Amino acid sequence: MITTLLIVDDSEIDRRKYLRYLNSERPHTYLILETDNLEKAKDICTQKKTDAILLGLSLTDDHGLEFLNWMNQQGQIALLPTLLLTKQIDEYTAAQASKNGIQDYLIKEYLTSQRLVQSLDHLFERIRLINTISDALSLRKRAEEIIAEGCEKFYNFLECSNDLIWSINLEGNFIYLSPQFQDLFGWQPADWIGKSMIDLIHLGDRLRFKKSIERVLDPSKKRDVPIKFRHYKSDDSFIWVSSNVNPARNSLGDVIGIQGVLRDISDRIALAYAIRDRKLAKVRLHEFNKALSNVHQELAQTHWTKDEFLANMSYELRTSLSVILGLVENLQEEVYGSLNQKQIRALQTIEHGENHLLKLINDILDFSKADVGYL
């Protein structure tokens, strides 16, 4: 890989020496750009045409310091590898420049090809490490931002959801309750953090809930569908709820608690009860109608039998009375012999009673015939 290297030095002799050192140690490794002009050096740096700088300008006549200050203002002194090559008389100034951001410096009087190449290698390695750390910090910062955004979206979702998210430890005590806890049951979530969840479950449903928890913690057993149970409210009433139950695990896969999503199903339960009661009422109505129909048939049969009996009896009585009346008429006409006045009055009384009785029997017979459909 070719590395572009900018040499800034107002000494032609020094520039040639640097070129010779670099080519002797690392031939065909560097693409050399060189200048003795401060403005041209700034232009090359501005256009980002270089990977590193060998700065040999004197620090005593302010040219070198001016260039360093310019790089610092541009924000490049910490990102662009810069090796300061200074005379021994400027060593103190070079050391101060190192504290202000320059990466390294070498004394020209003691410069060798090996020292020059090694210093450049150290500069590039240092910059690579800085870039790696910077990238890692950037990634970490971005990851933290993503996590923060995800947490914010998650909590916004919790606040917008009608469902309650809960979590308990292995002892059964709450360690998290979403804000819907107050809307559903009337308590602040903080009121129940650290307290037992089982205390909020209806006495008739606690055993079934405990068995569901045991099945969740036992991987050999099949998990239940969402469990339905009655949950107490702050006013001592209760509502029907449904909740799935799942194990909460740490990064090692160990179960550290139980968690679930709970929702109010009171309306659904009320509807189920209403449908059940309606079906039961329908069955009972059908049974009642059937029993009523049987009673009606029995009453109709009884009525028919009664009317038929009355009709038959009236007919038989009228026939018998007609015979009696006929005999009375024969006696009155003295067909069987003469009668005295006392016998005649007795026969008249019998005739009068028989006619009255016959009239009553005829009325009963006519009424019975009409009721059974004969008339």
Side-chain angles (χ1 to χ4, degrees), residues 205-220:
D205 301 327
R206 290 183 182 180
L207 180 60
R208 182 159 47 88
F209 186 83
K210 289 180 179 179
K211 288 183 178 179
S212 296
I213 296 295
E214 292 173 358
R215 276 190 284 269
V216 169
L217 297 176
D218 188 350
S220 65

Side-chain angles (χ1 to χ4, degrees), residues 13 79 102 176 178 236 262 286:
I13 296 174
L79 300 177
I102 199 74
Y176 176 77
S178 64
D236 292 332
L262 178 148
H286 177 73

